[in-house]
Amino acid sequence: MPVIANNLSLTAGASLVNVFDNTNYQFINEGTELRVSAAVVGANDGIQGSNVNYRFTINNTEFADDAIVPALVTGEPFTDGATSYRTNSVIATGQSRNRPLLVFRNQTAGTLVIKFFVFISQQA
């Protein structure tokens, strides 16, 4: 099954463009499952306004808005099977083309690395 994954350096105050843009999966079919996993390499203290946060939507359905990305834990592998990093698992329900959006935003004072892994089920 297809995967979109990367490690990205995000400077203080910056936002990442939609990770689905310019891929074969910027539009997905009805019934497609998306499993989103993400982690910050470094501390992410959970204080509102000083975190790395993310937004995840499909069409007009908001699954996460300004949600905190979990910190990477030493000794715990970062894979699709690591449920501690799983931030969302959804199935697209729109009858036509579905447009997923996944954006990360760094609200900290420093540059941090964000890891993300998106599993995409087979398109019908």
Side-chain angles (χ1 to χ4, degrees), residues 45-111:
D45 60 18
I47 299 171
Q48 182 64 26
S50 62
N51 295 299
V52 175
N53 298 328
Y54 77 100
R55 179 175 184 224
F56 178 59
T57 67
I58 297 178
N59 298 336
N60 293 327
T61 304
E62 191 105 43
F63 295 100
D65 185 24
D66 217 20
I68 296 170
V69 177
L72 189 67
V73 176
T74 302
E76 185 162 346
F78 184 78
T79 65
D80 181 53
T83 57
S84 60
Y85 303 121
R86 175 83 36 85
T87 55
N88 294 92
S89 180
V90 299
I91 296 175
T93 59
Q95 292 182 347
S96 59
R97 297 185 339 161
N98 292 276
R99 177 89 163 108
L101 172 103
L102 177 61
V103 176
F104 295 96
R105 183 169 52 133
N106 183 356
Q107 296 178 313
T108 70
T111 299

Side-chain angles (χ1 to χ4, degrees), residues 30-49:
E30 178 183 8
T32 302
E33 179 185 9
L34 296 178
R35 292 194 306 256
V36 179
S37 299
V40 175
V41 179
N44 206 22
D45 60 18
I47 299 171
Q48 182 64 26

Side-chain angles (χ1 to χ4, degrees), residues 8-23:
L8 300 168
S9 181
L10 197 57
T11 58
S15 291
L16 182 67
V17 296
N18 183 8
V19 302
F20 292 97
D21 282 352
N22 300 314
T23 72

